[in-house]
Amino acid sequence: MPAETTLAGVSPVAAATISPRRPVPADIPRPEYVDRPSPARFEGSEVKDAETIEKMRVAGRLAAQARELVGSHVAPGVTTDELDRIGHEFLCDHGAYPSTLGYRGFPKSLCSSVNEVICHGIPDGRVIEDGDIVNIDITAYLDGVHGDTNATFLAGEVDEETRLLVERTREALERGIRAVRPGRRINVIGRVIESYAKRYSYGVVREFTGHGIGTAFHSGLVVPHYDTDHYDDLIEVGMTFTIEPMLNLGTHEWEMWDDGWTVVTKDRRRSAQFEHTLLVTPTGAEVLTNP
């Protein structure tokens, strides 16, 4: 690990021991991709029928409840592995499968991304410290559909620069949601988010994006969070997808740990993220991942 510091006296996040995989009761249906090298190619429509949408409302609400429960336990002295246990047990107790568990080999039931970790942090034995920020990304697979959401939580006394980053990243998500309208192109979302982030000179992560979701965890639809002429799919009523901007205090560039999952800012400055699963309505977007 590089020896840079993210804040005065704060060392970069380092990997710790990963506990054994948590079991899921046998009667809970698994997504088709569990313990396969990759998921099956999605061949369906991005526009969902009424039955699928209603199922997604239920799965999304459950995922949001899990997000808030886990987030309420983010505090100095708690390990990210303990947060994973809380989220895992909550979803299983409600008959849902934790979508990340076994997805392309991911070993845990949620992603816990601390400080300079942008996304896909693996819960482990690292103890959360006073002043940390922790993103909890959790997805519920229930009745054949996925509900995906994340939020960044503060642990103890967080410095003002970091607190503002978190607050503004949440606002960036809200602005992205408000940009959704049938007839617009999907890249309007990134245009709005990056325009806002530039006010504060934040780096906007490009390579990790929002995505289509429903019966597939990731359908293939790409939702950019930065200003680009690419990814110009037409937004249509009935589409479901996530918006999940990742904003950094410094550069938008990143590096990946040897575990093949953990993505960190190249300059080791902090990153925040928020995510909702959305349904496109005739007048805008309905958030499916509110508790």
Side-chain angles (χ1 to χ4, degrees):
M1 297 283 171
E4 301 100 318
T5 58
T6 52
L7 293 169
V10 179
S11 299
V13 174
T17 302
I18 299 173
S19 66
R21 178 167 165 169
R22 292 187 164 87
V24 176
D27 61 337
I28 294 178
R30 274 77 167 151
E32 54 80 24
Y33 56 72
V34 172
D35 293 330
R36 294 176 51 187
S38 61
R41 182 179 177 85
F42 178 70
E43 303 288 354
S45 172
E46 300 293 350
V47 176
K48 310 305 190 295
D49 59 34
E51 181 181 4
T52 301
I53 288 168
E54 189 52 43
K55 289 178 178 179
M56 290 186 68
R57 286 192 177 102
V58 177
R61 188 178 309 119
L62 185 67
Q65 291 168 353
R67 178 196 70 219
E68 295 306 301
L69 174 65
V70 176
S72 71
H73 288 82
V74 171
V78 177
T79 65
T80 53
D81 186 65
E82 172 66 7
L83 299 177
D84 181 78
R85 181 194 66 77
I86 293 166
H88 177 93
E89 292 182 356
F90 178 84
L91 291 181
C92 291
D93 286 349
H94 288 81
Y97 187 91
S99 298
T100 60
L101 188 63
Y103 178 77
R104 296 183 182 271
F106 193 82
K108 290 296 178 179
S109 298
L110 56 79
C111 300
S112 56
S113 301
V114 180
N115 296 345
E116 74 271 17
V117 179
I118 295 171
C119 59
H120 304 159
I122 300 174
D124 59 20
R126 182 190 181 277
V127 175
I128 295 168
E129 300 176 2
D130 184 57
D132 282 351
I133 57 172
V134 185
N135 180 271
I136 299 299
D137 191 339
I138 191 163
T139 308
Y141 179 74
L142 183 67
D143 204 10
V145 299
H146 301 266
D148 188 8
T149 184
N150 76 55
T152 301
F153 298 91
L154 312 182
E157 296 295 322
V158 175
D159 69 278
E160 183 70 0
E161 182 182 44
T162 300
R163 187 192 65 76
L164 286 171
L165 171 70
V166 173
E167 179 182 299
R168 290 165 178 165
T169 305
R170 183 189 289 109
E171 174 64 18
L173 170 60
E174 295 300 326
R175 288 173 182 245
I177 292 170
R178 291 197 295 270
V180 175
R181 290 285 188 283
R184 290 180 174 177
R185 298 289 172 176
I186 203 84
N187 54 8
V188 70
I189 296 167
R191 193 166 299 125
V192 166
I193 289 172
E194 185 163 45
S195 175
Y196 175 70
K198 277 184 173 179
R199 296 185 191 179
Y200 309 104
S201 300
Y202 292 153
V204 182
V205 176
R206 299 181 171 206
E207 291 82 3
F208 300 93
T209 67
H211 53 88
I213 188 170
T215 56
F217 193 178
H218 302 89
S219 70
L221 176 70
V222 173
V223 182
H225 304 125
Y226 65 101
D227 192 356
T228 175
D229 290 332
H230 300 293
Y231 312 119
D232 61 349
D233 298 75
L234 184 68
I235 299 174
E236 301 178 66
V237 173
M239 290 176 73
T240 52
F241 53 80
T242 72
I243 302 177
E244 46 188 298
M246 290 148 267
L247 304 187
N248 305 340
L249 285 177
T251 181
H252 67 87
E253 297 179 317
W254 53 272
E255 295 173 347
M256 185 177 287
W257 286 5
D258 292 342
D259 61 21
W261 284 106
T262 306
V263 178
V264 297
T265 56
K266 191 169 184 179
D267 57 10
R268 302 304 187 267
R269 298 193 72 193
R270 289 184 168 187
S271 179
Q273 182 185 17
F274 286 85
E275 173 187 18
H276 277 309
T277 295
L278 308 173
L279 165 69
V280 180
T281 70
T283 58
E286 175 187 344
V287 175
L288 302 181
T289 42
N290 282 330

